[in-house]
Amino acid sequence: MTEKQILNPADGIAWMEGDFIPLSEAKIGVGDWGLVRSDATYDVVSVWDGAFFRLEDHLDRFAASMKALRMSVPQSRDDMRQILIDCVRRSGLRTSYVAMVCLRGTPVRPTRLPSACENKFIAYARPWVWVFPEPVIQRGAHLIIPKSIRIPPESVDPTVKNYHWGDMTYGLFEAEDAGADNALLADADGYICEGPGFNVFAIINDTVVTPNRGALEGITRRTVLELCQTLNLPSEIRPISIEEFKQADEAFACTTAGGIMPIRRLDDRIYGNDAPGPVTLKIKNLFWDWHARPDLRLEVTYDD
Ligand SMILES: Cc1ncc(COP(=O)(O)O)c(C=O)c1O
């Protein structure tokens, strides 16, 4: 299919099995283990103001996730990069949520062995998604600690980006029922992990602290740690209990599709003035400024 045949490319463009197609037409078979076993990995990179942000870091993490799941596809890293760029270029989107996905696929012979599956690479660029709605980011989010605990890392490695979202989905329902904005999951020992699609930080005794366990090693989390160095803010990666997180002076969530997202309440705990904290806002402002850094950007060359 040529790009001229795609009527509304700004609704999203996908790449599947060698073709660029409208995102709405990108479908997988009901037998794909990506569907029936949640046996897939993926990564999401942002395009902001016509440029990818930290694309090479996302490609690194995607390659590591595929390796951990013993997946391989014919596309090389250079192929994948080019496909992602082409999805964005063809969509014309200057601000886009761009995903790369690897599905386990289906077995090529009659067996239930995962090693017999033909793995599949898919990519797409779609209009931007905010993980927390913009007004929530402005006022600060109200999160709850749900009853559902984060899947233990020994069962599903959270550093391999995955679709095992049962724990997160229960948490989201509980947050919705409680009238809160979102959920922040802890582990069975009462230590803070992460939320549905985001890492978290707490500011404790002037130190910016993030959990060392039960969470994806987010690229935004890494950016925050680098921002702290630039801002001369001490930072730490270590266990944080629910109680300690609640006693913090400030807290925020962070993710590719949302940036720095202030937290103003956690259960009954109200941080500061029930509004985004000053250190959080400093980090948030510099985070967006860094999107102009040439060493972190990859400009997309559009057709128009
Ligand atoms: C479970 C989970 N944790 C954390 C994050 C944040 O990671 P990143 O900053 O790389 O987007 C995501 C992103 O989607 C996620 O799904």
Side-chain angles (χ1 to χ4, degrees):
M1 185 175 286
T2 69
E3 67 200 278
K4 294 229 164 44
Q5 288 168 278
I6 297 180
L7 277 181
N8 298 307
D11 290 345
I13 297 289
W15 182 93
M16 276 187 90
E17 298 179 7
D19 282 328
F20 291 95
I21 57 176
L23 181 58
S24 58
E25 289 173 21
K27 307 222 163 50
I28 64 165
V30 292
D32 196 301
W33 286 22
L35 174 69
V36 296
R37 309 261 196 278
S38 296
D39 192 350
T41 188
Y42 74 113
D43 219 290
V44 173
V45 56
S46 64
V47 165
W48 194 258
D49 194 19
F52 284 92
F53 186 63
R54 305 197 82 146
L55 176 58
E56 296 308 316
D57 294 323
H58 287 274
L59 287 169
D60 283 345
R61 186 173 64 184
F62 186 55
S65 296
M66 284 179 58
K67 187 164 179 230
L69 296 179
R70 300 166 68 163
M71 289 174 165
S72 64
V73 292
Q75 290 75 31
S76 67
R77 181 188 178 105
D78 286 348
D79 295 337
M80 291 180 188
R81 184 189 302 104
Q82 194 56 52
I83 289 167
L84 293 167
I85 294 170
D86 285 341
C87 284
V88 176
R89 181 180 60 78
R90 287 166 183 253
S91 75
L93 291 164
R94 265 57 179 179
T95 303
S96 177
Y97 173 108
V98 185
M100 56 205 103
V101 181
C102 187
L103 303 172
R104 182 70 68 192
T106 46
V108 292
R109 53 178 200 276
T111 164
R112 290 169 68 84
L113 289 173
S115 57
C117 289
E118 191 173 39
N119 308 152
K120 256 189 233 160
F121 174 70
I122 298 172
Y124 59 87
R126 53 156 297 164
W128 183 257
V129 178
W130 290 102
V131 168
F132 291 1
E134 271 184 286
V136 172
I137 296 177
Q138 287 306 322
R139 68 159 155 79
H142 176 197
L143 307 188
I144 58 149
I145 309 272
K147 285 196 270 303
S148 109
I149 56 161
R150 189 78 183 98
I151 300 177
E154 294 78 11
S155 303
V156 176
D157 181 352
T159 67
V160 175
K161 208 164 150 67
N162 65 73
Y163 292 141
H164 295 266
W165 267 47
D167 53 351
M168 307 280 205
T169 303
Y170 289 134
L172 282 168
F173 272 118
E174 202 177 317
E176 197 180 347
D177 291 347
D181 298 307
N182 216 306
L184 171 54
L185 279 71
D187 66 15
D189 299 320
Y191 285 92
I192 293 288
C193 297
E194 60 184 341
F198 55 86
N199 290 113
V200 288
F201 282 84
I203 298 163
I204 302 166
N205 298 330
D206 298 321
T207 301
V208 184
V209 189
T210 193
N212 66 336
R213 56 170 75 187
L216 181 72
E217 291 175 356
I219 306 292
T220 318
R221 171 180 179 265
R222 187 189 308 173
T223 305
V224 168
L225 294 168
E226 293 170 7
L227 287 161
C228 286
Q229 278 191 323
T230 300
L231 291 167
N232 282 324
L233 295 167
S235 63
E236 276 176 14
I237 304 174
R238 63 166 173 81
I240 317 173
S241 68
I242 296 173
E243 291 68 33
E244 189 183 17
F245 200 96
K246 285 190 178 173
Q247 282 159 16
D249 297 319
E250 296 180 33
F252 62 89
C254 68
T255 187
T256 293
I260 312 303
M261 309 184 296
I263 299 169
R264 66 185 178 122
R265 295 181 184 196
L266 181 59
D267 291 336
D268 295 334
R269 161 71 170 150
I270 298 176
Y271 294 101
N273 299 322
D274 202 12
V279 178
T280 301
L281 290 178
K282 216 191 255 187
I283 294 171
K284 182 177 173 220
N285 290 338
L286 193 58
F287 174 79
W288 288 108
D289 289 351
W290 273 21
H291 282 66
R293 270 178 55 172
D295 56 330
L296 300 179
R297 279 169 77 85
L298 177 71
E299 304 282 342
V300 178
T301 307
Y302 293 90
D303 298 334
D304 49 14

